[in-house]
Amino acid sequence: MKTFHSKTIKLFGPPGTGKTTTLLKRIEKYIERGVQPNEIAYFSFTKKAVSEGIDRAKIKFNLQDDDLPNFRTIHSFCRQQFSQVPVLDEDIDIKEFNTSMGNISLEFDDTYDGHRIRKNWALRIYDKARNMMKDPLLIYRRENIKRIGIDKFKNIIRLYEEFKEQHRIDFTDMLSQFIEYGQAPSFKLMIIDEAQDLTPLQWKFVYKLGEQAKRIYLAGDDDQAIYAWNGADVQAFQDFPGRDVVLKYSHRLNKQIFNFCKLLQNKITDKKQKEFEPANQLPGQILAFKNFQEIPFNAFKGKWFLLSRVREGVRVLEEEARKAGIYFQNQKGKKSFDINQYRAIQMWEDLISGGKILKEDIEVLYMYIEEIAYGFRKLDTKAWRDIDPNLMMSYDDLTLFGGLDPAKERAPWWEALNRKFSDRQKKYFFRMQNQSVDLSTRANIIIDTIHQVKGGEADNVVLFAYANFPTDFDNKRTGLKPNEARVWYTGATRSKQNLFLLGTKHKYSFPLARVYNQYMEMQSAL
């Protein structure tokens, strides 16, 4: 069996250098040599990265999903090996545990590694500790902000472990059990994508499978390692034995964006030294603004990312965008308005112009109308019992036997929809209508966190300097600043053409203005 160094290639792919394309070319060479697709493993820590690999491989090699059984997230692969072992259901078992505790949130943050992250702080720190292979109390003590006392923390962890013993394993247990008991197949080619984001526990998985693999590719970019908050260990990627290959040309970044991002990159001190160049010859601009209203959205065509470091900043951007009458959505597709309000507007305008709506849609419409007769607002009442559920109903039908007040007299929607519909919300829809915006299409502007758009790109990127206490750059200890700089570097490198820096008066921030001044000085010297 080859040693790790002799059979491993570490592919460093700076932003826009075609890392996924390069990996697919390696897969193509192995298939041309007679290696079967099921003898190739392609692992990543997120469903998003795996899905991209699957979709592109299917097109390139004319394959189906079943032809690529080992293109998986790490957790999915481990789950497959222990399919007979019951796994905690996040909606049933965890709800039972939360209910028994009485004080644990049922909500979840954004997905990570194919499963949802609990907003409960104690369980999150517990999971982080297991991924880091550390004592949970040690990780608790290292946290800058402790949301509960240590005694309560220990009690929650103790009860959770007892609960698991009585029920089943969770996602992290699946990984641990595979490492201890699982069988490692002998893959002829094993690829680990986004390797910079793996935790110490996941690296044990890599070493276990890697011992049996004939060839290993580790692909990633240590400058974009932005999951340290969840225990990711970028140094394990940097130190893994193997031959380093750096992709040298970014087809995303133009010269202006490249030069600005190099200044951010200089703040990342614990990195592998690597050189790459911009291959994109498109012109671009870097501009700084103090206020959201100054950003010239109409002057620049193409797709937009409006990015914040933290959720609080996203909410500020969303509110400013609504005030400006901008149609937007987040990376997952949630739009800038309440979809039921939009449906209610459409139904009302259809009704007053002579159209009909299904009975099953009436409950949505009635949610926003105050003048509904008693017993008609909900469809599961006696008033609706004898009416065919598939019946299409007109405005006159609704006033005659559907509980709608005839006094409405086909009023315009902004007058008729007078319940649970604020003036601010009405003003937003009114502006969308005046601008003839088709709200049924995908928005051209994405507002979200930097973490959520990682791996994506846009023609125009707005970076909002807003931060909170844990992410405030100037207040961080020196050793923690590189990880924070990585996040902003990742955000800035999403831009294909123009980068806009938005300042903040908030007390916590990232010094984008200082970096911009350095950039302008550098440009003046050229």
Side-chain angles (χ1 to χ4, degrees):
M1 180 64 65
K2 293 181 181 178
T3 64
F4 279 106
H5 192 280
S6 62
K7 66 180 178 181
T8 301
I9 294 176
K10 294 162 60 180
L11 191 68
F12 288 85
T17 53
K19 175 171 58 68
T20 301
T21 299
T22 301
L23 292 175
L24 290 175
K25 287 181 179 178
R26 298 294 187 273
I27 293 172
E28 183 176 21
K29 287 184 178 180
Y30 275 80
I31 291 177
E32 288 174 350
R33 294 172 188 168
V35 175
Q36 297 302 305
N38 63 0
E39 297 176 307
I40 299 172
Y42 184 104
F43 296 118
S44 181
F45 91 119
T46 62
K47 285 183 177 179
K48 179 181 177 181
V50 170
S51 295
E52 181 183 3
I54 290 175
D55 292 343
R56 293 177 64 172
K58 283 164 55 181
I59 294 171
K60 188 173 183 65
F61 308 124
N62 193 27
L63 300 172
Q64 302 298 318
D65 285 339
D66 292 343
D67 298 321
L68 302 166
N70 299 308
F71 278 51
R72 293 179 171 274
T73 62
I74 291 173
H75 282 89
S76 171
F77 180 83
C78 297
R79 176 73 180 111
Q80 183 185 36
Q81 287 232 345
F82 293 93
S83 58
Q84 76 284 1
V85 179
V87 177
L88 285 175
D89 186 290
E90 298 287 7
D91 294 316
I92 300 174
D93 299 309
I94 298 302
K95 181 178 181 180
E96 180 183 337
F97 175 71
N98 290 338
T99 302
S100 68
M101 287 295 298
N103 59 354
I104 293 184
S105 170
L106 300 180
E107 296 181 89
F108 295 86
D109 277 346
D110 298 312
T111 57
Y112 175 82
D113 201 7
H115 63 285
R116 295 175 294 176
I117 297 294
R118 303 185 190 98
K119 283 188 176 180
N120 177 264
W121 186 84
L123 294 185
R124 178 182 292 181
I125 299 304
Y126 171 66
D127 200 52
K128 177 179 178 179
R130 289 189 294 161
N131 270 283
M132 296 177 70
M133 302 173 65
K134 300 288 187 182
D135 182 346
L137 293 181
L138 174 64
I139 303 305
Y140 172 90
R141 294 187 180 100
R142 288 180 180 176
E143 292 295 308
N144 289 329
I145 298 178
K146 297 175 177 59
R147 299 184 181 178
I148 59 175
I150 191 167
D151 289 338
K152 186 174 182 180
F153 175 78
K154 289 192 291 187
N155 189 49
I156 291 173
I157 301 311
R158 178 183 60 80
L159 291 173
Y160 182 65
E161 289 179 341
E162 290 176 358
F163 179 82
K164 286 197 301 175
E165 288 178 2
Q166 299 166 8
H167 290 71
R168 52 199 72 193
I169 64 175
D170 62 16
F171 278 95
T172 305
D173 291 329
M174 282 193 298
L175 185 53
S176 300
Q177 290 209 5
F178 173 79
I179 291 168
E180 187 170 357
Y181 306 114
Q183 296 295 317
S186 180
F187 294 116
K188 291 185 177 178
L189 174 63
M190 184 177 83
I191 294 172
I192 307 293
D193 198 5
E194 303 294 344
Q196 76 279 352
D197 294 323
L198 301 187
T199 65
L201 187 63
Q202 291 164 342
W203 278 112
K204 287 200 72 173
F205 168 90
V206 173
Y207 274 100
K208 177 163 182 166
L209 263 65
E211 288 179 353
Q212 305 299 322
K214 300 295 189 295
R215 170 66 74 184
I216 302 171
Y217 277 86
L218 301 180
D221 181 13
D222 54 332
D223 291 337
Q224 297 183 74
I226 61 174
Y227 286 97
W229 60 269
N230 199 55
D233 183 6
V234 65
Q235 189 173 349
F237 175 46
Q238 296 167 329
D239 295 344
F240 196 98
R243 178 167 63 91
D244 294 348
V245 175
V246 178
L247 301 180
K248 295 186 178 296
Y249 298 99
S250 174
H251 299 280
R252 177 190 305 155
L253 307 182
N254 56 36
K255 189 173 182 180
Q256 292 79 9
I257 304 295
F258 176 83
N259 287 337
F260 180 86
C261 291
K262 289 289 285 185
L263 295 173
L264 290 172
Q265 194 182 38
N266 290 340
K267 297 181 181 296
I268 307 171
T269 53
D270 56 342
K271 63 186 177 186
K272 175 182 171 57
Q273 295 300 320
K274 50 189 175 294
E275 296 297 327
F276 71 104
E277 300 174 12
N280 179 354
Q281 298 302 316
L282 290 174
Q285 298 186 60
I286 299 178
L287 301 173
F289 301 100
K290 292 182 179 179
N291 301 300
F292 185 94
Q293 295 78 10
E294 299 173 351
I295 301 174
F297 290 101
N298 294 330
F300 296 90
K301 296 181 180 180
K303 181 179 178 180
W304 287 75
F305 280 164
L306 277 60
L307 305 178
S308 173
R309 171 67 173 91
V310 292
R311 281 285 163 200
E312 299 98 301
V314 169
R315 287 190 283 271
V316 172
L317 289 173
E318 289 174 340
E319 185 59 29
E320 290 296 329
R322 289 191 182 97
K323 288 178 183 177
I326 293 173
Y327 173 38
F328 64 89
Q329 64 184 58
N330 67 13
Q331 183 70 352
K332 293 182 179 179
K334 183 179 179 181
K335 297 189 176 184
S336 52
F337 53 86
D338 186 311
I339 190 66
N340 282 331
Q341 289 182 338
Y342 177 53
R343 288 177 61 200
I345 292 172
Q346 290 179 305
M347 285 188 282
W348 183 258
E349 292 194 326
D350 194 25
L351 285 171
I352 64 176
S353 62
K356 295 183 177 183
I357 64 175
L358 276 170
K359 173 189 169 182
E360 65 182 30
D361 292 328
I362 292 170
E363 193 167 332
V364 172
L365 176 64
Y366 280 11
M367 187 188 311
Y368 303 105
I369 298 177
E370 190 67 50
E371 299 84 3
I372 301 298
Y374 178 78
F376 282 91
R377 194 175 300 281
K378 298 290 185 180
L379 295 183
D380 58 355
T381 59
K382 293 180 180 179
W384 291 103
R385 183 176 298 166
D386 297 329
I387 299 178
D388 185 343
N390 298 314
L391 181 66
M392 298 287 290
M393 304 186 72
S394 68
Y395 178 88
D396 290 336
D397 294 333
L398 292 176
T399 58
L400 287 172
F401 50 87
L404 181 64
D405 187 349
K408 280 291 181 184
E409 296 182 349
R410 290 181 168 82
W413 69 263
W414 53 89
E415 294 180 7
L417 305 181
N418 57 355
R419 180 176 183 268
K420 295 184 179 181
F421 218 131
S422 70
D423 289 341
R424 179 180 61 83
Q425 290 167 329
K426 290 181 180 180
K427 183 178 180 181
Y428 182 74
F429 282 112
F430 198 68
R431 293 186 70 167
M432 294 297 100
Q433 287 185 329
N434 285 343
Q435 296 172 33
S436 299
V437 177
D438 185 355
L439 297 179
S440 65
T441 62
R442 181 176 176 83
N444 206 37
I445 294 178
I446 306 294
I447 301 181
D448 219 320
T449 63
I450 294 170
H451 283 80
Q452 280 299 299
V453 303
K454 183 176 182 288
E457 61 182 20
D459 303 284
N460 310 289
V461 170
V462 175
L463 282 185
F464 186 26
Y466 188 107
N468 57 16
F469 173 73
T471 62
D472 184 71
F473 188 78
D474 288 339
N475 285 330
K476 279 188 174 293
R477 298 196 303 271
T478 300
L480 297 178
K481 287 187 175 182
N483 282 335
E484 190 62 25
R486 283 184 167 99
V487 179
W488 294 90
Y489 172 80
T490 299
T493 55
R494 300 308 92 203
S495 176
K496 295 167 58 179
Q497 193 164 350
N498 303 299
L499 181 62
F500 305 100
L501 311 176
L502 178 60
T504 178
K505 294 181 180 179
H506 192 63
K507 59 182 178 180
Y508 302 122
S509 66
F510 185 82
L512 286 175
R514 292 205 299 263
V515 181
Y516 177 72
N517 289 336
Q518 293 172 8
Y519 167 78
M520 295 303 294
E521 291 173 3
M522 182 174 65
Q523 293 297 102
S524 298
L526 294 178

